[in-house]
Amino acid sequence: MKKLYLLLIMFCIVGFMSAQSFQEYYKIGLNFNEGNFSFNSINIELSDKPIKNYFGFYLVKVIDFENKSLNWTYFNVPNEILYDATDENWTINGGGLLVLNETNFTIYVPYYPNANQIIIYNENLTEKLKIDVSMFSKV
C-alpha cells in the first residue's frame, strides 16, 4: 500500500511540473551612457512567472519581418542612486540623489518566434538603438 501511495505522489509531482507553463523572454543587457544606449548581450530566458521591468518612459518595441509591431514594453533606466553622507562618527549629516552618466542594466522583453528586430526609444520617442533578433526567430 505504501508503494502505491509513493507512486501516486510521484505521478502527481511529475504531472504538476509538466503542467507548469513557462514564458520566454529576451534578456537584454544594455549600457546607458549620457542618453545613448549600446547593446551588451542578448539571451532567451524561460520563466514560470511574468517578468516585469521597472516602469519608466523609455520604450522597447519588438518588430516582425513585415515591420509590424508585436509588443511594446516600457522600462526605466536605473541611473539614480540615493546616498547618505556621514561624518567621522558615522552620523548622517547629509545626502541626496546622484545621477549616473553611465550604467549597465538588464531588461526583459517577451519573446516572439517571428521577431526580426528590437528597437529602443528614449522618453521623447526618438529611436536610439536597433537590435537584430532574427537569429532567435523560428521563421
Side-chain angles (χ1 to χ4, degrees), residues 16-70:
F16 174 74
M17 290 176 66
S18 65
Q20 264 185 330
S21 64
F22 290 92
Q23 187 167 354
E24 294 175 292
Y25 290 91
Y26 297 103
K27 180 181 178 182
I28 306 170
L30 295 172
N31 175 273
F32 180 79
N33 188 348
E34 296 183 1
N36 294 307
F37 290 94
S38 59
F39 164 69
N40 291 333
S41 64
I42 188 164
N43 293 309
I44 302 297
E45 188 165 294
L46 293 175
S47 177
D48 61 344
K49 297 176 185 162
I51 299 177
K52 301 279 183 182
N53 299 302
Y54 289 109
F55 179 78
F57 296 105
Y58 294 90
L59 173 68
V60 58
K61 190 161 69 167
V62 182
I63 305 293
D64 70 7
F65 287 90
E66 298 173 357
N67 288 326
K68 293 181 183 171
S69 179
L70 299 172

Side-chain angles (χ1 to χ4, degrees), residues 7 13 30 51 58-59 68 76 103 114 118 121 124 132 136:
L7 187 61
I13 291 172
L30 295 172
I51 299 177
Y58 294 90
L59 173 68
K68 293 181 183 171
N76 188 32
T103 186
N114 59 333
I118 290 178
Y121 299 88
N124 299 319
D132 180 10
F136 298 109

Side-chain angles (χ1 to χ4, degrees), residues 3 83 88 112 123:
K3 288 181 182 180
Y83 71 94
E88 64 276 353
Y112 289 88
E123 65 275 3

